Amino acid sequence: MRKLCLIALLLLPFAAAAQQPPDFSKVEIKATKVSGNVYMLEGAGGNIAASVGEDGILIVDTEYSPLADKIRAALKNLGVTDKPVRFVIDTHYHDDHTNGNAAYAAGGATIIAQENLRKRLENGSTGGNGGALKFQSPPQPKAALPIITYDDHIALHFNGEEIRVIHFAGAHTDGDSVVYFTKSNVVHMGDEFIRYGFPFIDVNSGGSVQGMIAACEKASADFPADVKVIPGHGAAASLDDVREYTKMMKDTSAVVAQALKDHKTLDQMKQEKILAPWQKYSGAFVNSDAFIETIYYSLTGAKRN
Ligand SMILES: [Zn+2]
């Protein structure tokens, strides 16, 4: 049994690719109130948003299944309700956001997600930036799959407010949603907005830098100016932070587009370090070369591997 558990852990797919598999025994869950009914939970993997109130608990994203008990304990420790997690909304299929799905389903939660996300979890998926960053997500068991799916949007009426789940097409993946808590005035952006540097964009799974820019511009235009923003990864933020990050994506895309116009090859763009002015965004996960590839494959629609 012990051996089996160990093997299961070793086989867990870590979609965050370049990141080391976290040591779950050492992970602590930090829960912070964002606004109204909504809390943000940070552990390992993507940020979780939680609506906690008299109707029970709804969470956006699930991190990793070995953390489910710690996450439940953190939610209970808020002292708001003893009721369980009743609904799970997945922002996109990557396992650092969905690996915990089955654990909450086993506890009676209903999983909700965009229909493309369900297909990718059910069939498995090859993720990547079109170039060197690449990973395999195996098919998931039925218990991890969304029960309710939608094409464009869906609304939940829970804990005294309307919770709008809105599909943004072809951004981080082809099955992204952002979740807007209308009364608490909080939006969870999934991985359409992150704070670890250049974003990973899953070009192999229908994402593109153009879609990321469009999604962030739409969010900046549609949500109230003072909305609290929960990013897919990193600290809570504002729409001004989203705008600054959108500008970085637009400016870097313009540089790669110009290089393409000048008939430069991908290797030339890397050798010439054309994204050097944005060096502060270059990280261990997505460095400048990986982001050049991301934009290149987004703009050219070249054969994706
Ligand atoms: Zn992701």
Side-chain angles (χ1 to χ4, degrees):
M1 185 65 201
R2 231 189 132 122
K3 202 171 167 193
L4 268 180
C5 284
L6 186 65
I7 291 167
L9 275 177
L10 290 173
L11 290 180
L12 276 178
F14 294 98
Q19 292 168 11
Q20 289 295 312
D23 178 350
F24 295 116
S25 68
K26 295 207 174 97
V27 174
E28 284 177 30
I29 307 297
K30 184 178 144 201
T32 322
K33 182 163 180 164
V34 180
S35 179
N37 295 321
V38 179
Y39 296 78
M40 172 169 151
L41 276 72
E42 296 163 272
N47 289 326
I48 292 175
S51 166
V52 184
E54 59 180 14
D55 296 337
I57 300 174
L58 171 153
I59 59 174
V60 180
D61 287 347
T62 59
E63 296 195 352
Y64 295 101
S65 54
L67 296 173
D69 286 341
K70 286 187 190 179
I71 290 166
R72 287 192 188 102
L75 289 165
K76 198 172 179 183
N77 279 344
L78 296 171
V80 178
T81 180
D82 283 334
K83 290 180 183 168
V85 174
R86 291 180 56 192
F87 297 99
V88 167
I89 301 166
D90 291 333
T91 61
H92 63 287
Y93 82 92
H94 292 154
D95 76 300
D96 55 328
H97 296 256
T98 59
N99 187 273
N101 276 6
Y104 298 98
T110 300
I111 303 171
I112 303 167
Q114 209 276 339
E115 58 197 28
N116 293 332
L117 179 152
R118 189 181 197 280
K119 284 179 201 153
R120 291 194 181 279
L121 285 186
E122 186 175 27
N123 302 325
S125 187
T126 303
N129 70 340
L133 286 180
K134 203 176 167 187
F135 58 85
Q136 205 63 40
S137 297
Q140 295 300 305
K142 192 175 165 218
L145 302 181
I147 299 277
I148 297 174
T149 60
Y150 48 88
D151 173 11
D152 186 63
H153 65 276
I154 195 168
L156 287 86
H157 300 267
F158 193 71
N159 285 336
E161 68 181 324
E162 182 182 350
I163 299 168
R164 289 185 199 149
V165 186
I166 308 151
H167 172 49
F168 283 3
H172 178 62
T173 71
D174 62 2
D176 298 351
S177 295
V178 306
V179 183
Y180 176 46
F181 300 87
T182 56
K183 203 165 155 192
S184 297
N185 198 26
V186 177
V187 62
H188 188 311
M189 288 289 291
D191 278 2
E192 282 162 4
F193 171 59
I194 51 80
R195 308 193 79 190
Y196 56 71
F198 288 134
F200 170 66
I201 302 175
D202 195 342
V203 178
N204 296 39
S205 302
S208 72
V209 72
Q210 304 93 307
M212 291 279 284
I213 292 166
C216 287
E217 288 191 324
K218 187 163 168 42
S220 299
D222 289 359
F223 297 125
D226 60 350
V227 71
K228 305 268 193 307
V229 179
I230 297 179
H233 299 265
S238 69
L239 283 185
D240 280 345
D241 298 313
V242 175
R243 285 189 192 98
E244 190 187 331
Y245 161 88
T246 311
K247 184 176 182 329
M248 176 275 290
M249 290 193 291
K250 287 176 90 165
D251 292 349
T252 51
S253 294
V255 167
V256 174
Q258 184 60 49
L260 279 167
K261 236 177 165 177
D262 296 341
H263 305 290
K264 285 187 182 157
T265 66
L266 184 56
D267 281 343
Q268 283 173 319
M269 295 181 205
K270 289 181 190 173
Q271 274 157 22
E272 291 174 19
K273 299 191 184 310
I274 61 172
L275 297 190
W278 295 273
Q279 186 59 30
K280 70 168 183 176
Y281 289 96
S282 182
F285 181 23
V286 182
N287 62 21
S288 294
D289 283 355
F291 199 52
I292 290 172
E293 287 180 353
T294 304
I295 300 172
Y296 178 92
Y297 288 109
S298 293
L299 295 181
T300 58
K303 191 173 176 297
R304 290 158 189 171
N305 57 20

